Amino acid sequence: MSKLLVIAEGRDGILRNVSFEAVAVAKKIDADAEIVGVVLGKEDLEEQAQELIRYGADRVIVVQHEKMKAYTSDGYGQAVLAVINDESPDGIVMGHTSIGKDLTPKLASKLDTGLISDVVAVEHNSGDVEFIRPIYSGKAFERKIITDGITFVTVRPNNIPPLDRDTTRNGEISTRKVEIKDIRTIVKDVVRKASKGVDLSEANIVIAGGRGVKSEEGFNTVHELAEVLGAAVGASRGACDAGYCDYSLQIGQTGKVVTPDLYIAVGISGAIQHLAGMSNSKVIVAINKDPEANIFGIADYGIVGDLFEVIPLLIEELKALRSTVKA
Amino acid sequence: MNIYVLLKKTFDTEEQINVSNAEIVDDGAEYIINPYDEYAIEEAIVQRDTHGGEVTVVTIGDGKSEKQLRTALAMGADQAVLINTEDDLEDGDQYTTVKILEKFFEDKDVDLILAGNVAIDEASGQVGPRLAETIGIPYVTTITSLAIEGDIVTIEKDVEGDVEIIETSLPLLVTCQQGLNEPRYPSLPGIMKAKKKPLAEMEIDDLNIEEEDVKAKTKVIEIFLLEEKAAGRVLEGELDGQVKELVSLLRNEQKII
Protein backbone atom coordinates (compact mmCIF):
# COMPACT_ATOMS: atom_id res chain seq x y z
CA MET A 1 0.00 0.00 0.00
CA SER A 2 1.34 3.39 -0.89
CA LYS A 3 1.44 6.31 1.47
CA LEU A 4 0.57 9.81 0.27
CA LEU A 5 1.18 12.97 2.25
CA VAL A 6 -1.26 15.85 1.91
CA ILE A 7 0.09 19.18 3.14
CA ALA A 8 -2.97 21.14 4.26
CA GLU A 9 -3.17 24.89 4.44
CA GLY A 10 -5.13 26.99 6.88
CA ARG A 11 -6.23 30.59 6.72
CA ASP A 12 -7.82 32.60 9.53
CA GLY A 13 -8.01 29.49 11.67
CA ILE A 14 -9.77 27.16 9.22
CA LEU A 15 -8.49 24.92 6.46
CA ARG A 16 -8.76 26.21 2.94
CA ASN A 17 -10.96 24.20 0.60
CA VAL A 18 -7.99 23.35 -1.60
CA SER A 19 -6.67 21.18 1.26
CA PHE A 20 -9.72 18.91 0.89
CA GLU A 21 -9.31 18.97 -2.88
CA ALA A 22 -5.71 17.83 -2.36
CA VAL A 23 -7.01 14.83 -0.36
CA ALA A 24 -9.32 13.99 -3.29
CA VAL A 25 -6.34 14.18 -5.66
CA ALA A 26 -4.34 11.83 -3.43
CA LYS A 27 -7.25 9.37 -3.65
CA LYS A 28 -7.25 9.76 -7.44
CA ILE A 29 -3.52 8.98 -7.54
CA ASP A 30 -4.07 5.78 -5.58
CA ALA A 31 -7.51 4.84 -4.30
CA ASP A 32 -5.95 2.36 -1.84
CA ALA A 33 -3.28 4.68 -0.49
CA GLU A 34 -3.00 5.65 3.14
CA ILE A 35 -3.62 9.39 3.13
CA VAL A 36 -1.60 11.17 5.79
CA GLY A 37 -2.54 14.81 6.32
CA VAL A 38 -0.16 17.43 7.71
CA VAL A 39 -1.52 20.57 9.37
CA LEU A 40 0.82 23.34 10.44
CA GLY A 41 0.61 26.57 12.36
CA LYS A 42 1.01 28.31 15.65
CA GLU A 43 -2.48 27.98 17.11
CA ASP A 44 -4.53 24.97 18.22
CA LEU A 45 -4.91 22.75 15.15
CA GLU A 46 -7.03 19.90 16.56
CA GLU A 47 -10.22 21.00 14.76
CA GLN A 48 -8.38 21.45 11.44
CA ALA A 49 -6.96 17.95 11.79
CA GLN A 50 -10.44 16.51 12.51
CA GLU A 51 -11.86 18.31 9.50
CA LEU A 52 -9.17 16.88 7.23
CA ILE A 53 -10.13 13.39 8.43
CA ARG A 54 -13.81 14.10 7.74
CA TYR A 55 -12.77 14.91 4.18
CA GLY A 56 -10.90 11.65 3.68
CA ALA A 57 -7.48 11.73 5.40
CA ASP A 58 -6.73 8.46 7.23
CA ARG A 59 -4.58 10.09 9.86
CA VAL A 60 -3.16 13.54 10.50
CA ILE A 61 0.12 14.83 11.84
CA VAL A 62 -0.07 18.16 13.63
CA VAL A 63 2.98 20.40 13.73
CA GLN A 64 2.65 23.41 15.99
CA HIS A 65 5.36 25.97 16.56
CA GLU A 66 5.67 29.53 17.76
CA LYS A 67 7.70 30.33 14.65
CA MET A 68 4.89 29.24 12.31
CA LYS A 69 2.58 32.16 13.15
CA ALA A 70 3.20 33.50 9.67
CA TYR A 71 4.22 31.35 6.72
CA THR A 72 7.90 31.46 5.81
CA SER A 73 9.57 29.00 3.46
CA ASP A 74 12.29 28.36 6.06
CA GLY A 75 9.89 27.71 8.96
CA TYR A 76 7.36 25.60 7.10
CA GLY A 77 10.12 23.96 5.09
CA GLN A 78 11.89 22.67 8.19
CA ALA A 79 8.61 21.47 9.74
CA VAL A 80 7.38 19.65 6.62
CA LEU A 81 10.79 18.10 5.93
CA ALA A 82 10.85 16.66 9.44
CA VAL A 83 7.51 14.95 8.73
CA ILE A 84 8.64 13.76 5.29
CA ASN A 85 11.76 12.24 6.82
CA ASP A 86 9.64 10.41 9.43
CA GLU A 87 7.10 9.12 6.98
CA SER A 88 9.05 8.51 3.73
CA PRO A 89 5.88 8.93 1.65
CA ASP A 90 5.44 7.65 -1.91
CA GLY A 91 3.90 10.95 -2.88
CA ILE A 92 3.12 14.49 -1.73
CA VAL A 93 0.12 16.63 -2.69
CA MET A 94 -0.41 20.31 -1.86
CA GLY A 95 -2.60 23.17 -3.13
CA HIS A 96 -1.20 25.39 -5.87
CA THR A 97 -1.71 28.49 -3.74
CA SER A 98 0.60 31.32 -2.83
CA ILE A 99 2.07 29.15 -0.06
CA GLY A 100 2.06 25.95 -2.12
CA LYS A 101 3.89 27.65 -4.98
CA ASP A 102 6.46 29.05 -2.57
CA LEU A 103 7.07 25.93 -0.48
CA THR A 104 6.93 22.96 -2.88
CA PRO A 105 9.90 23.92 -5.10
CA LYS A 106 12.02 24.17 -1.95
CA LEU A 107 10.92 20.72 -0.83
CA ALA A 108 11.48 19.28 -4.33
CA SER A 109 14.99 20.71 -4.31
CA LYS A 110 15.73 19.28 -0.85
CA LEU A 111 14.32 15.88 -1.80
CA ASP A 112 15.94 15.99 -5.25
CA THR A 113 12.64 15.09 -6.93
CA GLY A 114 10.51 16.25 -9.80
CA LEU A 115 7.42 18.35 -9.17
CA ILE A 116 4.35 18.75 -11.37
CA SER A 117 2.70 22.06 -10.49
CA ASP A 118 -0.83 23.30 -11.03
CA VAL A 119 -2.57 20.03 -11.79
CA VAL A 120 -6.22 20.21 -12.90
CA ALA A 121 -6.94 16.51 -13.53
CA VAL A 122 -5.54 13.06 -12.75
CA GLU A 123 -5.98 10.08 -15.09
CA HIS A 124 -4.71 6.51 -15.19
CA ASN A 125 -3.40 5.11 -18.43
CA SER A 126 -1.57 1.82 -19.02
CA GLY A 127 -0.14 1.74 -15.53
CA ASP A 128 0.93 5.38 -15.43
CA VAL A 129 -0.62 8.12 -13.33
CA GLU A 130 -1.01 11.05 -15.69
CA PHE A 131 -1.34 14.63 -14.53
CA ILE A 132 -2.99 17.24 -16.71
CA ARG A 133 -2.02 20.86 -16.31
CA PRO A 134 -2.69 24.04 -18.28
CA ILE A 135 0.12 25.69 -20.23
CA TYR A 136 0.16 29.08 -21.94
CA SER A 137 -2.38 30.19 -19.30
CA GLY A 138 -4.92 27.64 -20.45
CA LYS A 139 -4.51 28.13 -24.20
CA ALA A 140 -3.36 24.48 -24.19
CA PHE A 141 -2.89 21.56 -21.77
CA GLU A 142 -0.11 19.08 -21.18
CA ARG A 143 -0.24 15.53 -19.90
CA LYS A 144 2.73 14.70 -17.68
CA ILE A 145 4.06 11.74 -15.78
CA ILE A 146 6.69 11.35 -13.08
CA THR A 147 9.57 9.30 -14.48
CA ASP A 148 11.87 9.18 -11.47
CA GLY A 149 11.36 9.46 -7.72
CA ILE A 150 8.26 10.13 -5.66
CA THR A 151 5.02 11.59 -6.99
CA PHE A 152 4.94 15.27 -6.09
CA VAL A 153 2.19 17.56 -7.34
CA THR A 154 0.39 20.80 -6.56
CA VAL A 155 -3.31 21.11 -7.34
CA ARG A 156 -5.04 24.13 -8.84
CA PRO A 157 -7.84 25.28 -6.49
CA ASN A 158 -11.43 24.87 -7.59
CA ASN A 159 -10.95 22.18 -10.22
CA ILE A 160 -11.12 18.78 -8.57
CA PRO A 161 -14.06 18.47 -6.17
CA PRO A 162 -13.33 17.35 -2.60
CA LEU A 163 -14.71 14.03 -1.32
CA ASP A 164 -18.00 14.18 0.60
CA ARG A 165 -17.61 15.35 4.16
CA ASP A 166 -18.25 12.43 6.48
CA THR A 167 -18.63 13.33 10.16
CA THR A 168 -18.47 9.66 11.21
CA ARG A 169 -14.91 9.14 9.94
CA ASN A 170 -12.22 8.64 12.56
CA GLY A 171 -8.48 8.73 12.33
CA GLU A 172 -5.42 9.06 14.48
CA ILE A 173 -4.17 12.57 15.16
CA SER A 174 -0.57 12.73 16.30
CA THR A 175 1.70 15.60 17.19
CA ARG A 176 5.20 16.04 15.80
CA LYS A 177 7.47 18.32 17.77
CA VAL A 178 9.94 20.10 15.56
CA GLU A 179 12.88 22.35 16.08
CA ILE A 180 12.84 25.38 13.82
CA LYS A 181 16.23 27.00 13.50
CA ASP A 182 16.99 30.22 11.69
CA ILE A 183 14.35 31.87 9.56
CA ARG A 184 16.06 34.07 7.00
CA THR A 185 13.00 35.95 5.77
CA ILE A 186 10.96 37.61 8.51
CA VAL A 187 7.33 38.66 7.96
CA LYS A 188 7.09 42.07 9.64
CA ASP A 189 3.53 42.93 8.72
CA VAL A 190 0.62 41.93 6.51
CA VAL A 191 -1.47 44.58 4.80
CA ARG A 192 -4.89 43.16 3.96
CA LYS A 193 -5.99 44.36 0.55
CA ALA A 194 -7.81 41.39 -0.93
CA SER A 195 -11.48 42.16 -1.36
CA LYS A 196 -13.68 40.90 1.47
CA GLY A 197 -11.72 37.70 1.86
CA VAL A 198 -13.04 36.18 -1.39
CA ASP A 199 -9.87 34.99 -3.08
CA LEU A 200 -9.86 35.19 -6.87
CA SER A 201 -8.37 31.77 -7.52
CA GLU A 202 -10.79 29.97 -5.20
CA ALA A 203 -13.96 32.00 -5.88
CA ASN A 204 -17.05 30.33 -7.33
CA ILE A 205 -18.11 33.57 -8.96
CA VAL A 206 -15.83 36.25 -10.41
CA ILE A 207 -16.95 39.65 -11.65
CA ALA A 208 -14.30 41.38 -13.73
CA GLY A 209 -14.21 44.94 -14.98
CA GLY A 210 -12.40 46.28 -18.03
CA ARG A 211 -11.66 49.59 -19.69
CA GLY A 212 -15.39 50.04 -20.23
CA VAL A 213 -15.87 51.05 -16.56
CA LYS A 214 -14.08 54.27 -17.56
CA SER A 215 -12.85 55.37 -14.10
CA GLU A 216 -12.00 54.33 -10.57
CA GLU A 217 -15.54 55.35 -9.53
CA GLY A 218 -16.93 53.36 -12.44
CA PHE A 219 -15.07 50.32 -11.13
CA ASN A 220 -17.19 50.55 -7.97
CA THR A 221 -20.09 49.26 -10.07
CA VAL A 222 -18.15 46.00 -10.41
CA HIS A 223 -17.61 45.85 -6.63
CA GLU A 224 -21.31 46.48 -5.99
CA LEU A 225 -22.36 43.60 -8.24
CA ALA A 226 -19.72 41.36 -6.66
CA GLU A 227 -21.04 42.14 -3.21
CA VAL A 228 -24.60 41.12 -4.12
CA LEU A 229 -23.34 37.81 -5.51
CA GLY A 230 -20.67 37.16 -2.86
CA ALA A 231 -18.18 37.12 -5.73
CA ALA A 232 -14.50 37.97 -6.05
CA VAL A 233 -13.50 40.97 -8.14
CA GLY A 234 -11.08 40.78 -11.05
CA ALA A 235 -10.02 43.07 -13.86
CA SER A 236 -8.53 43.15 -17.33
CA ARG A 237 -5.06 44.50 -17.91
CA GLY A 238 -6.63 47.55 -19.54
CA ALA A 239 -8.45 48.46 -16.33
CA CYS A 240 -5.28 47.94 -14.24
CA ASP A 241 -3.07 49.93 -16.62
CA ALA A 242 -5.61 52.77 -16.60
CA GLY A 243 -5.37 52.85 -12.79
CA TYR A 244 -9.02 51.92 -12.16
CA CYS A 245 -7.93 49.15 -9.80
CA ASP A 246 -4.96 47.35 -8.28
CA TYR A 247 -2.74 45.04 -10.36
CA SER A 248 -3.42 42.25 -7.89
CA LEU A 249 -6.86 41.95 -9.53
CA GLN A 250 -5.52 41.35 -13.03
CA ILE A 251 -6.75 38.25 -14.82
CA GLY A 252 -5.00 37.03 -17.95
CA GLN A 253 -1.80 35.65 -19.36
CA THR A 254 0.06 38.03 -17.08
CA GLY A 255 -1.94 38.07 -13.88
CA LYS A 256 -4.17 35.39 -12.46
CA VAL A 257 -5.81 32.46 -14.18
CA VAL A 258 -9.30 31.71 -12.87
CA THR A 259 -11.82 28.94 -13.50
CA PRO A 260 -14.92 29.84 -11.48
CA ASP A 261 -18.41 28.42 -12.01
CA LEU A 262 -19.54 31.83 -13.21
CA TYR A 263 -17.46 34.61 -14.78
CA ILE A 264 -19.11 37.91 -15.57
CA ALA A 265 -17.02 40.18 -17.82
CA VAL A 266 -18.11 43.79 -17.52
CA GLY A 267 -16.85 46.25 -20.13
CA ILE A 268 -14.08 43.86 -21.19
CA SER A 269 -13.40 43.58 -24.92
CA GLY A 270 -11.67 40.22 -24.64
CA ALA A 271 -8.06 40.47 -25.85
CA ILE A 272 -6.47 37.05 -26.35
CA GLN A 273 -4.27 37.61 -23.28
CA HIS A 274 -7.35 38.15 -21.12
CA LEU A 275 -9.22 35.17 -22.57
CA ALA A 276 -6.26 32.97 -21.66
CA GLY A 277 -6.87 33.78 -18.00
CA MET A 278 -10.60 33.02 -17.84
CA SER A 279 -11.82 31.06 -20.86
CA ASN A 280 -11.95 27.79 -18.92
CA SER A 281 -14.58 29.20 -16.55
CA LYS A 282 -17.70 27.05 -16.52
CA VAL A 283 -20.25 29.73 -17.47
CA ILE A 284 -19.22 33.06 -18.98
CA VAL A 285 -21.43 36.13 -19.17
CA ALA A 286 -20.34 39.18 -21.16
CA ILE A 287 -21.76 42.67 -20.79
CA ASN A 288 -20.38 45.09 -23.35
CA LYS A 289 -21.78 47.85 -25.50
CA ASP A 290 -19.76 46.81 -28.54
CA PRO A 291 -21.56 43.89 -30.23
CA GLU A 292 -18.33 43.08 -32.10
CA ALA A 293 -16.29 42.62 -28.91
CA ASN A 294 -14.23 39.40 -28.87
CA ILE A 295 -15.59 38.45 -25.48
CA PHE A 296 -18.96 37.52 -27.01
CA GLY A 297 -17.16 34.79 -28.96
CA ILE A 298 -16.57 32.74 -25.82
CA ALA A 299 -19.50 33.93 -23.68
CA ASP A 300 -22.39 31.58 -22.94
CA TYR A 301 -24.68 34.57 -22.50
CA GLY A 302 -24.15 38.09 -23.72
CA ILE A 303 -25.89 41.36 -23.15
CA VAL A 304 -25.09 44.15 -25.58
CA GLY A 305 -25.61 47.36 -23.69
CA ASP A 306 -24.18 50.11 -21.52
CA LEU A 307 -22.82 48.52 -18.36
CA PHE A 308 -23.91 51.52 -16.31
CA GLU A 309 -27.50 50.70 -17.28
CA VAL A 310 -27.23 46.91 -17.20
CA ILE A 311 -25.45 46.46 -13.86
CA PRO A 312 -27.93 48.48 -11.75
CA LEU A 313 -30.79 46.50 -13.33
CA LEU A 314 -28.93 43.27 -12.63
CA ILE A 315 -28.28 44.25 -9.00
CA GLU A 316 -31.96 45.14 -8.57
CA GLU A 317 -33.07 41.82 -10.08
CA LEU A 318 -30.65 39.82 -7.93
CA LYS A 319 -31.74 41.62 -4.76
CA ALA A 320 -35.39 40.94 -5.64
CA LEU A 321 -34.51 37.29 -6.14
CA ARG A 322 -32.70 37.12 -2.80
CA SER A 323 -35.69 38.53 -0.95
CA THR A 324 -38.12 36.06 -2.55
CA VAL A 325 -35.78 33.19 -1.73
CA LYS A 326 -35.56 34.33 1.88
CA ALA A 327 -39.36 34.77 2.15
CA MET B 1 26.89 44.33 -6.22
CA ASN B 2 26.77 41.18 -8.38
CA ILE B 3 23.27 40.97 -9.78
CA TYR B 4 22.02 38.11 -11.94
CA VAL B 5 18.77 37.85 -13.85
CA LEU B 6 17.29 34.53 -14.98
CA LEU B 7 15.63 35.00 -18.36
CA LYS B 8 13.41 32.74 -20.43
CA LYS B 9 12.10 33.40 -23.89
CA THR B 10 8.42 32.66 -24.41
CA PHE B 11 5.89 32.86 -27.21
CA ASP B 12 4.53 36.35 -27.75
CA THR B 13 1.31 36.68 -25.76
CA GLU B 14 -0.49 37.45 -29.05
CA GLU B 15 0.31 33.98 -30.39
CA GLN B 16 -2.41 31.40 -30.82
CA ILE B 17 -1.23 27.97 -29.74
CA ASN B 18 -1.31 25.29 -32.42
CA VAL B 19 -0.73 21.62 -31.70
CA SER B 20 0.33 18.91 -34.11
CA ASN B 21 1.29 15.34 -33.17
CA ALA B 22 0.79 16.15 -29.49
CA GLU B 23 3.43 18.90 -29.63
CA ILE B 24 3.34 22.68 -29.87
CA VAL B 25 3.95 24.00 -33.35
CA ASP B 26 6.50 26.80 -33.15
CA ASP B 27 7.11 27.46 -36.82
CA GLY B 28 7.30 31.18 -37.32
CA ALA B 29 6.14 31.98 -33.80
CA GLU B 30 7.28 35.32 -32.42
CA TYR B 31 9.28 35.08 -29.22
CA ILE B 32 9.54 37.67 -26.48
CA ILE B 33 11.23 37.95 -23.09
CA ASN B 34 8.87 36.29 -20.59
CA PRO B 35 6.90 39.36 -19.36
CA TYR B 36 7.64 38.61 -15.69
CA ASP B 37 11.37 38.44 -16.49
CA GLU B 38 11.13 41.99 -17.86
CA TYR B 39 10.27 43.16 -14.35
CA ALA B 40 13.35 41.30 -13.12
CA ILE B 41 15.61 42.98 -15.71
CA GLU B 42 14.20 46.43 -14.93
CA GLU B 43 14.62 45.93 -11.18
CA ALA B 44 18.17 44.67 -11.63
CA ILE B 45 19.09 47.80 -13.60
CA VAL B 46 17.46 50.10 -11.02
CA GLN B 47 19.27 48.37 -8.13
CA ARG B 48 22.61 48.50 -9.96
CA ASP B 49 22.16 52.19 -10.70
CA THR B 50 21.50 52.78 -6.99
CA HIS B 51 24.12 50.50 -5.44
CA GLY B 52 26.68 50.01 -8.20
CA GLY B 53 27.87 46.71 -9.60
CA GLU B 54 27.00 44.67 -12.65
CA VAL B 55 23.92 43.01 -14.09
CA THR B 56 24.39 39.65 -15.82
CA VAL B 57 21.45 38.11 -17.67
CA VAL B 58 21.48 34.32 -17.94
CA THR B 59 19.32 32.12 -20.12
CA ILE B 60 19.16 28.46 -20.99
CA GLY B 61 18.06 28.26 -24.57
CA ASP B 62 18.98 27.75 -28.18
CA GLY B 63 20.37 29.65 -31.16
CA LYS B 64 17.28 31.85 -31.20
CA SER B 65 17.80 33.10 -27.64
CA GLU B 66 20.34 35.76 -28.56
CA LYS B 67 17.59 38.19 -29.61
CA GLN B 68 16.04 38.33 -26.13
CA LEU B 69 19.47 38.61 -24.48
CA ARG B 70 20.36 41.55 -26.76
CA THR B 71 17.08 43.19 -25.79
CA ALA B 72 17.99 42.83 -22.11
CA LEU B 73 21.42 44.32 -22.85
CA ALA B 74 19.75 47.17 -24.73
CA MET B 75 17.56 47.84 -21.69
CA GLY B 76 20.75 48.29 -19.69
CA ALA B 77 22.11 44.93 -18.50
CA ASP B 78 25.92 44.75 -18.62
CA GLN B 79 26.52 41.26 -19.93
CA ALA B 80 24.69 38.14 -20.96
CA VAL B 81 25.24 34.40 -20.87
CA LEU B 82 23.55 31.89 -23.15
CA ILE B 83 23.73 28.27 -22.05
CA ASN B 84 22.83 26.61 -25.33
CA THR B 85 21.37 23.13 -24.82
CA GLU B 86 20.01 22.74 -28.35
CA ASP B 87 22.46 20.01 -29.38
CA ASP B 88 22.73 18.21 -26.06
CA LEU B 89 19.34 17.96 -24.41
CA GLU B 90 16.16 16.65 -25.95
CA ASP B 91 13.82 16.94 -22.99
CA GLY B 92 14.25 18.75 -19.76
CA ASP B 93 12.13 19.86 -16.86
CA GLN B 94 12.59 22.28 -13.98
CA TYR B 95 14.93 19.79 -12.33
CA THR B 96 17.13 19.88 -15.45
CA THR B 97 17.12 23.68 -15.60
CA VAL B 98 18.06 24.04 -11.94
CA LYS B 99 20.82 21.43 -12.16
CA ILE B 100 22.39 23.38 -15.02
CA LEU B 101 22.02 26.72 -13.22
CA GLU B 102 23.45 25.21 -10.04
CA LYS B 103 26.64 24.34 -11.95
CA PHE B 104 26.69 27.77 -13.55
CA PHE B 105 26.45 29.54 -10.18
CA GLU B 106 28.96 27.21 -8.49
CA ASP B 107 31.90 29.59 -8.91
CA LYS B 108 29.93 32.85 -8.95
CA ASP B 109 29.92 35.39 -6.17
CA VAL B 110 26.25 36.33 -5.99
CA ASP B 111 24.54 39.17 -4.12
CA LEU B 112 21.16 39.18 -5.79
CA ILE B 113 19.39 36.92 -8.28
CA LEU B 114 16.14 38.09 -9.87
CA ALA B 115 13.73 35.96 -11.85
CA GLY B 116 10.17 36.21 -13.08
CA ASN B 117 7.46 34.91 -10.77
CA VAL B 118 6.42 32.44 -13.46
CA ALA B 119 7.05 31.98 -17.17
CA ILE B 120 3.84 32.46 -19.08
CA ASP B 121 4.31 29.23 -21.05
CA GLU B 122 5.00 26.44 -18.55
CA ALA B 123 3.98 28.54 -15.54
CA SER B 124 5.41 26.23 -12.90
CA GLY B 125 7.18 28.99 -10.95
CA GLN B 126 9.64 26.40 -9.68
CA VAL B 127 13.02 27.43 -11.04
CA GLY B 128 13.64 30.49 -8.85
CA PRO B 129 12.92 28.96 -5.43
CA ARG B 130 14.47 25.61 -6.40
CA LEU B 131 17.68 27.32 -7.43
CA ALA B 132 17.84 29.43 -4.25
CA GLU B 133 17.45 26.31 -2.12
CA THR B 134 20.05 24.43 -4.15
CA ILE B 135 22.69 27.12 -3.83
CA GLY B 136 21.79 27.81 -0.21
CA ILE B 137 20.43 31.35 -0.26
CA PRO B 138 17.04 32.63 0.97
CA TYR B 139 14.31 33.56 -1.48
CA VAL B 140 11.14 35.62 -1.59
CA THR B 141 8.61 35.00 -4.38
CA THR B 142 6.10 37.37 -6.04
CA ILE B 143 7.69 40.62 -4.86
CA THR B 144 6.16 44.00 -5.67
CA SER B 145 8.80 46.20 -4.00
CA LEU B 146 12.49 45.84 -3.16
CA ALA B 147 14.56 48.20 -1.00
CA ILE B 148 18.17 47.45 -0.10
CA GLU B 149 19.72 49.56 2.67
CA GLY B 150 23.06 48.40 3.95
CA ASP B 151 22.60 44.82 5.13
CA ILE B 152 18.84 45.01 5.36
CA VAL B 153 16.51 44.16 2.50
CA THR B 154 12.87 45.15 2.83
CA ILE B 155 10.41 43.56 0.46
CA GLU B 156 6.72 43.82 -0.29
CA LYS B 157 5.35 40.46 -1.37
CA ASP B 158 2.01 39.89 -3.08
CA VAL B 159 0.11 37.10 -1.33
CA GLU B 160 -3.09 36.56 -3.28
CA GLY B 161 -3.85 40.27 -3.21
CA ASP B 162 -2.64 40.98 0.34
CA VAL B 163 0.79 42.49 0.91
CA GLU B 164 3.39 41.01 3.25
CA ILE B 165 6.23 43.20 4.43
CA ILE B 166 9.31 41.02 4.65
CA GLU B 167 12.74 41.71 6.06
CA THR B 168 15.74 39.71 4.91
CA SER B 169 19.34 40.12 3.79
CA LEU B 170 21.74 39.49 0.92
CA PRO B 171 22.60 37.20 -0.79
CA LEU B 172 19.04 36.67 -1.91
CA LEU B 173 16.88 35.41 -4.76
CA VAL B 174 13.59 37.12 -5.57
CA THR B 175 10.89 36.40 -8.13
CA CYS B 176 9.13 39.40 -9.60
CA GLN B 177 5.40 40.08 -9.72
CA GLN B 178 3.50 42.57 -11.78
CA GLY B 179 3.38 45.97 -10.07
CA LEU B 180 7.08 45.87 -9.11
CA ASN B 181 8.04 48.43 -11.76
CA GLU B 182 7.43 49.58 -15.33
CA PRO B 183 10.00 47.88 -17.57
CA ARG B 184 11.67 50.42 -19.86
CA TYR B 185 11.77 50.12 -23.62
CA PRO B 186 15.28 49.88 -25.05
CA SER B 187 16.46 53.25 -26.35
CA LEU B 188 18.13 53.61 -29.76
CA PRO B 189 21.58 54.33 -28.20
CA GLY B 190 20.88 51.38 -25.87
CA ILE B 191 20.29 49.11 -28.85
CA MET B 192 23.52 50.30 -30.50
CA LYS B 193 25.53 49.77 -27.32
CA ALA B 194 23.99 46.33 -26.77
CA LYS B 195 25.57 45.03 -29.97
CA LYS B 196 29.02 45.47 -28.40
CA LYS B 197 28.24 44.24 -24.90
CA PRO B 198 29.67 40.83 -23.95
CA LEU B 199 27.45 37.84 -24.69
CA ALA B 200 29.08 34.56 -23.71
CA GLU B 201 27.78 31.34 -25.15
CA MET B 202 28.45 27.98 -23.57
CA GLU B 203 27.20 24.41 -23.68
CA ILE B 204 26.68 21.96 -20.85
CA ASP B 205 30.12 20.46 -21.58
CA ASP B 206 31.65 23.78 -20.56
CA LEU B 207 29.94 23.40 -17.19
CA ASN B 208 31.20 19.83 -16.83
CA ILE B 209 27.70 18.45 -17.02
CA GLU B 210 26.84 15.07 -18.51
CA GLU B 211 23.40 14.63 -20.00
CA GLU B 212 22.71 11.90 -17.44
CA ASP B 213 23.32 14.34 -14.51
CA VAL B 214 20.46 16.57 -15.55
CA LYS B 215 17.99 13.94 -16.71
CA ALA B 216 14.43 15.15 -16.16
CA LYS B 217 12.31 13.64 -13.39
CA THR B 218 9.06 14.29 -15.23
CA LYS B 219 7.98 13.86 -18.81
CA VAL B 220 5.42 15.46 -21.08
CA ILE B 221 3.61 12.74 -23.00
CA GLU B 222 1.08 14.88 -24.81
CA ILE B 223 0.04 18.45 -25.44
CA PHE B 224 -3.55 19.07 -26.45
CA LEU B 225 -6.11 21.79 -26.94
CA LEU B 226 -9.60 21.81 -25.50
CA GLU B 227 -12.44 21.54 -27.94
CA GLU B 228 -13.70 24.93 -29.00
CA LYS B 229 -16.66 26.00 -26.98
CA ALA B 230 -19.87 26.35 -28.96
CA ALA B 231 -20.82 29.98 -29.47
CA GLY B 232 -23.17 31.29 -26.84
CA ARG B 233 -26.27 33.41 -27.06
CA VAL B 234 -26.53 37.13 -27.18
CA LEU B 235 -29.80 38.00 -25.47
CA GLU B 236 -32.35 40.17 -27.20
CA GLY B 237 -35.22 42.50 -26.44
CA GLU B 238 -35.62 45.33 -23.93
CA LEU B 239 -32.68 45.70 -21.56
CA ASP B 240 -34.63 44.96 -18.38
CA GLY B 241 -36.14 41.90 -20.07
CA GLN B 242 -32.63 40.70 -20.99
CA VAL B 243 -31.46 41.15 -17.42
CA LYS B 244 -34.46 39.15 -16.10
CA GLU B 245 -33.79 36.42 -18.65
CA LEU B 246 -30.09 36.30 -17.71
CA VAL B 247 -30.85 35.92 -14.00
CA SER B 248 -33.39 33.22 -14.77
CA LEU B 249 -30.89 31.33 -16.98
CA LEU B 250 -28.16 31.49 -14.35
CA ARG B 251 -30.55 30.39 -11.63
CA ASN B 252 -32.81 27.83 -13.28
CA GLU B 253 -30.80 26.46 -16.17
CA GLN B 254 -27.22 26.69 -14.88
CA LYS B 255 -28.10 26.61 -11.17
CA ILE B 256 -25.10 28.69 -10.21
CA ILE B 257 -26.68 31.63 -8.39
Side-chain angles (χ1 to χ4, degrees), chain A residues 102 113 133 143 188 191 255, chain B residues 36 122 130 139 141 163 165:
Chain A
D102 197 82
T113 61
R133 60 185 302 276
R143 190 182 291 275
K188 290 290 196 184
V191 185
Chain B
Y36 290 101
E122 292 283 323
R130 272 184 101 123
Y139 63 87
T141 55
V163 181
I165 316 293

Side-chain angles (χ1 to χ4, degrees), chain B residues 41-195:
Chain B
I41 298 165
E42 175 66 29
E43 196 60 26
I45 295 166
V46 169
Q47 296 296 340
R48 177 205 59 198
D49 291 347
T50 313
H51 302 285
E54 257 193 351
V55 174
T56 306
V57 181
V58 186
T59 198
I60 298 176
D62 53 31
K64 285 186 276 185
S65 303
E66 183 173 340
K67 189 177 166 209
Q68 288 72 38
L69 289 175
R70 291 284 174 206
T71 304
L73 293 171
M75 287 170 75
D78 299 289
Q79 52 181 333
V81 177
L82 166 59
I83 305 172
N84 191 334
T85 58
E86 204 171 6
D87 299 334
D88 299 317
L89 298 179
E90 189 101 342
D91 295 307
D93 64 359
Q94 296 84 5
Y95 176 84
T96 310
T97 302
V98 171
K99 280 283 163 193
I100 295 170
L101 290 173
E102 179 187 1
K103 275 284 189 185
F104 173 80
F105 280 106
E106 206 171 53
D107 60 351
K108 305 289 183 292
D109 188 13
V110 169
D111 295 302
L112 181 64
I113 302 176
L114 301 106
N117 145 41
V118 290
I120 58 167
D121 49 11
E122 292 283 323
S124 81
Q126 290 182 27
V127 169
R130 272 184 101 123
L131 176 66
E133 185 61 31
T134 305
I135 63 175
I137 63 174
Y139 63 87
V140 181
T141 55
T142 60
I143 72 160
T144 53
S145 159
L146 175 67
I148 304 170
E149 280 173 63
D151 292 336
I152 297 172
V153 181
T154 308
I155 286 171
E156 290 182 12
K157 171 181 163 72
D158 168 43
V159 183
E160 293 169 6
D162 291 334
V163 181
E164 274 182 5
I165 316 293
I166 291 174
E167 204 172 278
T168 182
S169 58
L170 301 177
L172 176 72
L173 182 145
V174 293
T175 73
C176 302
Q177 174 68 307
Q178 191 167 34
L180 175 62
N181 55 41
E182 279 292 326
R184 70 195 67 191
Y185 288 100
S187 66
L188 197 55
I191 294 168
M192 300 308 290
K193 263 194 245 167
K195 290 179 181 164

Side-chain angles (χ1 to χ4, degrees), chain A residues 41-42 65-73 75-76 99 183 186-188 190, chain B residues 164:
Chain A
K42 178 190 171 246
H65 199 288
E66 194 61 29
K67 286 184 181 165
M68 286 197 289
K69 180 170 184 281
Y71 165 81
T72 58
S73 61
Y76 274 56
I99 291 178
I183 290 180
I186 310 291
V187 179
K188 290 290 196 184
V190 181
Chain B
E164 274 182 5

